[in-house]
Amino acid sequence: MSAILILVIALVLLALGYVFYGSWLAKRWGVDPTRETPAHTSYDGKDFVPANPAVLMGHHFSSIAGAGPINGPILASVFGWVPVFLWVVIGGIFFGAVHDFGALFASIRHNGGSIGEVIKANMGVRAQRLFTIFALLVLILVIASFTAVVAGTFMSEADSIFTVGRANVSEHASTATTSLLFIVIAFIFGFFVYRKNAKIGPATVVGILGIVAIVVVGLNVGINLSRTFWVGFIAVYVMFASLLPVWMLLQPRDYLSSFLLYGMMIIAVVGILGSNMQVELPAFTSFHPEGSGYLFPTLFITVACGAVSGFHSLIGSGTTSKQLDSEKDAKVIGYGAMIVESALAIISLIAVGIVYHKTNIGGGDVYNLSAPPTIFAGGIATAVATMFGGVADSTNPVYDTVYTLLTLAVSVFALTSLDSGTRLARYMFAELFVKEGEKPEEITGIRGFMAKPFVSTFIMVVIGCGMGFMGLKEIWGVFGAANQLLAGIAMLAVAAWLANAGKDNKMFYVPMVFMLCATGTSLVMTIIDKIKMIAGAAAKWGDWFQLIWSIGLIVLAVVLVVEGVKVLSKKKEAKA
């Protein structure tokens, strides 16, 4: 199958979804550009800060994307390119983008509150408490997972702390250097734009030049430190990232890092169009590939961010809604960012298709293409090198340069999702101790202590980063299903609000029920599998962790679904 044909069909369908379905949703829900947003009505200079739409789009896109739309489609490609293609396109248009747009818009209409606040206003305090606990469990998994990913990406085993010269700098050391310099660039950008009123256009040009400079430095100067050090560094970093005003670090860092993501996508599209390569990946392999689970529910859990992700609802309602300057930007940021992410997922699918027989997925000569980031980089680098008529291996300077830059770019984004996730955990943990009408800073006693920003952040960081120190495999085993289950519950919350507001909510029914069934099935299968392992005395600590976590998540989810169905049923009875 032609890679160009797959790409063009996907981009056309996704664009049509944005133009027609996204606009229809905005009209049905009553998006009002003349209405003031929480960024203005609740401005505090720290969390509620109106942002330039381009800056906010960069923050939102970088936060929701991370490495998800690259890892998921590549891992799911064991089922063939057709199932992944269909789920990414259909899921992106009718599931993920609706979920993201709805969560963002519901939060705006609830004074920038989280999905938990939306649930409290429309389903009751009990449901809100249960959801907050559920979301915190998912966010702990996010912090733990990405701590493990980032620490593993940064760690090096070289004898010296610093290495110099392209031939001497490892990929891990290069990524660590570039990521640290990104933080410095973000501080400088935020200071000049928000405190010195620098125009966003010229500042962006300077920022992009700064990105080019730090990438060059990163390729030639490496920082070599252990995984233990990087876990500790990440814990300290995310503490500051959660507590500092959004204009100082979060907004500028995510905005600038989004240009790496945009650049990566442009290079990929040019390479695919210019090389006219074929996708070697079979259209369909099996409903049950060996060692990969069944098509249902595995495919719909594995693709994750490329089609729908519950984490997006926490980002949209946790940070993005507090920075939206006008409701007219809600569609392009809420719906549009998800459409772009689905496009990236399609590019990832094409990348693995191009080098299928060189990957462990294809069972051929692996040639170092065994992890999703390296498979993605190898596929796109192959297309670019072929476009210029060169060989597709490390002896070709074009291939080597593109491969290195793409691997570097993919690795940088995990840190972006990590700092956003920690900030969200801080918000939601504090919500557990704040009663209706109270302000955290006015509460006394133990509740006031637990609701303090530093205390709530410290607790979440210690738990999340502590789990991340233990390893990734055990955490990741339950993260996918938990994340997708969160999406189903978030859609239930938005549907309940729309019903109470007298607006059309039927567009949520099919996506909501499907995601609840898929994720519920996955968690039940995990529980059964772990019980069998425990009964056979073959269980390790990770198996116990996955069992307990899965049971807790599914119990909370069932209670929340029952509460939500009651609300929706009452509205139907009232209409009848």
Side-chain angles (χ1 to χ4, degrees), residues 149-358:
V149 168
V150 174
T153 303
F154 285 4
M155 72 174 183
S156 299
E157 298 178 356
D159 295 331
S160 59
I161 295 178
F162 297 101
T163 47
V164 181
R166 177 72 182 274
N168 300 318
V169 178
S170 70
E171 178 185 306
H172 288 195
S174 180
T175 301
T177 302
T178 304
S179 296
L180 293 184
L181 291 175
F182 238 113
I183 297 171
V184 177
I185 291 283
F187 271 111
I188 295 172
F189 183 90
F191 174 76
F192 279 99
V193 170
Y194 291 101
R195 285 296 176 265
K196 295 299 182 181
N197 297 317
K199 292 186 180 297
I200 191 68
T204 299
V205 172
V206 174
I208 292 174
L209 292 176
I211 291 173
V212 173
I214 64 174
V215 168
V216 172
V217 172
L219 291 173
N220 292 277
V221 179
I223 300 177
N224 304 284
L225 291 165
S226 68
R227 185 177 184 276
T228 301
F229 171 85
W230 286 120
V231 170
F233 172 84
I234 290 165
V236 174
Y237 166 74
V238 295
M239 278 284 295
F240 281 101
S242 173
L243 295 169
L244 289 173
V246 290
W247 64 265
M248 191 177 288
L249 180 60
L250 195 69
Q251 278 185 359
R253 174 185 155 75
D254 291 354
Y255 174 62
L256 291 176
S257 65
S258 70
F259 285 97
L260 265 180
L261 194 53
Y262 299 145
M264 181 175 69
M265 292 181 69
I266 291 171
I267 290 172
V269 170
V270 170
I272 292 168
L273 296 178
S275 63
N276 192 27
M277 298 193 73
Q278 296 294 305
V279 168
E280 300 173 350
L281 179 67
F284 180 75
T285 57
S286 168
F287 281 102
H288 186 205
E290 185 178 351
S292 299
Y294 293 93
L295 181 69
F296 181 89
T298 306
L299 172 73
F300 308 99
I301 303 301
T302 305
V303 171
C305 300
V308 59
S309 167
F311 180 60
H312 296 189
S313 67
L314 302 184
I315 294 290
S317 66
T319 59
T320 306
S321 63
K322 295 175 175 62
Q323 303 169 59
L324 196 76
D325 185 50
S326 171
E327 282 195 6
K328 67 181 176 60
D329 302 322
K331 174 192 164 188
V332 66
I333 293 172
Y335 195 95
M338 182 62 230
I339 291 297
V340 177
E341 188 167 355
S342 293
L344 178 56
I346 292 296
I347 291 172
S348 302
L349 177 63
I350 293 171
V352 68
I354 289 174
V355 292
Y356 176 65
H357 293 299
K358 291 183 178 180

Side-chain angles (χ1 to χ4, degrees), residues 30-65:
V31 172
D32 183 4
T34 65
R35 182 169 177 157
E36 277 198 306
T37 62
H40 294 281
T41 59
S42 299
Y43 175 84
D44 62 5
K46 183 178 180 181
D47 296 318
F48 289 84
V49 179
N52 181 286
V55 174
L56 188 56
M57 179 66 169
H59 154 68
H60 184 77
F61 184 41
S62 294
S63 297
I64 67 171

Side-chain angles (χ1 to χ4, degrees), residues 381-396:
T382 296
V384 174
T386 303
M387 181 178 68
F388 286 100
V391 294
D393 60 41
S394 57
T395 62
N396 183 345

